[in-house]
Amino acid sequence: MSASALSSIRFPGSISEYLQVASVLSLLLLLFKTAQLYLHRQWLLSSTQQFPSPPSHWLFGHKILKDQDLQDILTRIKNFPSACPQWLWGSKVRIQVYDPDYMKLILGRSDPKANGSYRFLAPWIGRGLLMLDGQTWFQHRRMLTPAFHYDILKPYTEIMADSVRVMLDKWEQIVGQDSTLEIFRHITLMTLDTIMKCAFSHEGSVQLDRKYKSYIQAVEDLNDLVFSRVRNIFHQNDIIYRVSSNGCKANSACKLAHDHTDQVIKSRRIQLQDEEELEKLKKKRRLDFLDILLFARMENGKSLSDKDLRAEVDTFMFEGHDTTASGISWIFYALATNPEHQQRCRKEIQSLLGDGTSITWNDLDKMPYTTMCIKEALRIYPPVPSVSRELSSPVTFPDGRSLPKGIHVMLSFYGLHHNPTVWPNPEVFDPSRFAPGSSRHSHSFLPFSGGARNCIGKQFAMNELKVAVALTLLRFELLPDPTRVPIPIPRIVLKSKNGIHLHLKKLQ
């Protein structure tokens, strides 16, 4: 018999042996991973035993109905003081915190963002200011802080006002006497228009150019996709997620978002090749956000890489318009459902601005009651419902309970703002909570987070909220649509499951 014939006889036996070995190795690997997950779960149970929680399934965790997360945390606040574990599945738990003393302690530390949640944002916004930690975060924060100096913010007031007027003009054309309008999309375009002009030196109107609607849709999709991925055990692995339908959709949305920011950077670079534009830039007392990034030099003398540059632009493009749009939309809804406070704001604004043909930086500090109403709306509807940290060292809370290094802590600003031990009758809209001279815990009101990592653009955002509220109340009376009451749902920013629909009544 030939050698080739002998080898062909042995070959099937070799395959069989190979499959047997592979099966044994696979079984051993499965047993090892099972033991690893079991031991990790036991460690988590031991680590969180000082914090009671509702009963949970050993594998599926706490069952929360779709889009009922906010209702769930309100129930926990009533039954479990200060903080409560939430099991997402067998080996994944996070401690939900809604107490101001707990908040103060965690936000005063330098724990990194929780990698298990925030890493899903990386394909979209890269590792910019929101995602960075440690010394690199500190360098970027220090580099970008001058972009929010009051000398820079002052002239932005008129730019903000122009963007709001464009939106209000559109509203006058499309609203009828008995019709309602879904305002969130319109306000999102307006805040994108503002951030593009203020921070990125954009010329033209985003609100009048249809091409920007695809970017708005991409951001909306990514808000939903990132949130759902955090909660899906099968989508934790990048390879599995990439081939899933949600992963494909996320990849397409990321591409749209990146195409938008790449074009913004490219356009500004082309502008800066023009000598006249460079001369104008030299005469500026301070640089805009994008100009700071383009001219930045790190401590090693090198400029930002294209990757780092786009990450900061992606981060601020999203953070600078979507959170503000959420804030303005919910403020309008709060005023619509509290007409007596709306009217008091309107009278204050009318006495200050008259017909509203102009609004200046100096006007923004002269509307105390309107500011109180804005803050109370931000308390009830915080634009960013929560942030997360991963403990880099053990922590002991003021009540004596403690957590070890490695635990994922979710700071629920929504829970904090609705905690009845912090805010009596939390569901009642009561602007007097923010009256001058009123006392409250330093960490009881955190619409822009707190500590060293608070929102770098909080003053910019507050100014934009005031401008939008003032100019809108001079033109329209806001009325709720009782047939379509908005349902708040947590995403990266606070959204409404069914949109925010209002009647807009033109004032004579």
Side-chain angles (χ1 to χ4, degrees), residues 67-332:
D67 294 327
Q68 293 294 307
D69 301 75
L70 298 180
Q71 289 73 12
D72 178 73
I73 200 165
L74 295 182
T75 302
R76 289 166 183 259
I77 291 169
K78 293 176 183 176
N79 299 316
F80 306 100
S82 303
C84 177
Q86 182 191 38
W87 289 88
L88 299 179
W89 53 82
S91 59
K92 181 79 169 181
V93 67
R94 58 191 183 188
I95 306 296
Q96 295 178 314
V97 170
Y98 33 79
D99 176 86
D101 289 321
Y102 276 49
M103 293 273 182
K104 184 176 182 179
L105 183 58
I106 295 295
L107 291 172
R109 291 161 49 104
S110 55
D111 301 303
K113 297 293 180 75
N115 187 52
S117 303
Y118 283 87
R119 74 181 180 89
F120 300 142
L121 282 169
W124 171 16
I125 62 174
R127 293 190 60 78
L129 201 60
L130 179 67
M131 302 279 284
L132 291 171
D133 290 302
Q135 186 61 26
T136 309
W137 170 84
F138 178 76
Q139 289 175 359
H140 282 231
R141 176 85 178 205
R142 187 171 61 183
M143 172 185 70
L144 292 170
T145 296
F148 301 94
H149 189 277
Y150 72 91
D151 281 344
I152 289 289
L153 298 180
K154 274 184 177 181
Y156 287 168
T157 306
E158 186 53 40
I159 296 174
M160 293 171 178
D162 286 341
S163 294
V164 173
R165 290 187 191 103
V166 170
M167 179 184 74
L168 298 178
D169 289 343
K170 287 171 64 180
W171 285 1
E172 284 195 7
Q173 294 172 13
I174 61 179
V175 296
Q177 189 65 30
D178 299 315
S179 64
T180 62
L181 184 71
E182 200 294 303
I183 63 170
F184 199 96
R185 282 290 185 94
H186 291 267
I187 292 173
T188 302
L189 274 173
M190 183 272 291
T191 56
L192 180 62
D193 196 14
T194 298
I195 202 67
M196 288 278 286
K197 290 174 180 174
C198 293
F200 302 107
S201 305
H202 178 71
E203 296 176 359
S205 177
V206 167
Q207 298 180 80
L208 302 177
D209 192 333
R210 286 182 171 273
K211 71 179 182 182
Y212 293 99
K213 290 186 177 180
S214 59
Y215 173 73
I216 296 292
Q217 185 61 54
V219 170
E220 187 175 318
D221 291 342
L222 287 164
N223 253 295
D224 291 334
L225 291 165
V226 170
F227 180 82
S228 64
R229 186 179 179 187
V230 170
R231 304 293 299 272
N232 190 324
I233 187 172
F234 302 108
H235 287 169
Q236 303 302 296
N237 182 276
D238 291 340
I239 295 173
I240 294 174
Y241 186 68
R242 218 172 279 133
V243 298
S244 70
S245 59
N246 276 9
C248 293
K249 190 175 180 181
N251 185 59
S252 297
C254 280
K255 186 178 184 307
L256 272 170
H258 292 161
D259 287 346
H260 171 74
T261 49
D262 286 344
Q263 186 56 46
V264 168
I265 296 168
K266 181 182 176 183
S267 297
R268 188 61 183 149
R269 277 180 164 155
I270 291 172
Q271 284 179 332
L272 293 176
Q273 291 173 3
D274 184 274
E275 289 186 11
E276 287 186 16
E277 191 66 28
L278 276 173
E279 283 301 313
K280 284 197 292 184
L281 196 65
K282 289 176 184 177
K283 292 176 183 178
K284 279 186 178 181
R285 186 173 177 183
R286 293 179 183 272
L287 299 179
D288 293 341
F289 179 85
L290 182 54
D291 293 331
I292 286 175
L293 290 174
L294 290 171
F295 289 98
R297 289 286 183 274
M298 303 307 288
E299 290 182 356
N300 58 11
K302 293 183 178 179
S303 58
L304 287 179
S305 67
D306 286 348
K307 183 179 178 181
D308 289 340
L309 175 62
R310 189 172 80 176
E312 293 297 358
V313 173
D314 275 320
T315 298
F316 199 70
M317 186 73 73
F318 159 63
E319 292 268 316
H321 91 273
D322 209 35
T323 53
T324 316
S326 173
I328 294 171
S329 299
W330 286 111
I331 290 166
F332 283 1

Side-chain angles (χ1 to χ4, degrees), residues 396-430:
T396 299
F397 295 106
D399 58 9
R401 295 189 290 183
S402 60
L403 290 169
K405 173 183 176 180
I407 291 294
H408 176 175
V409 177
M410 187 185 90
L411 306 177
S412 174
F413 300 139
Y414 188 90
L416 171 72
H417 290 179
H418 290 258
N419 187 337
T421 62
V422 181
W423 300 98
N425 301 314
E427 305 307 320
V428 175
F429 185 85
D430 181 8

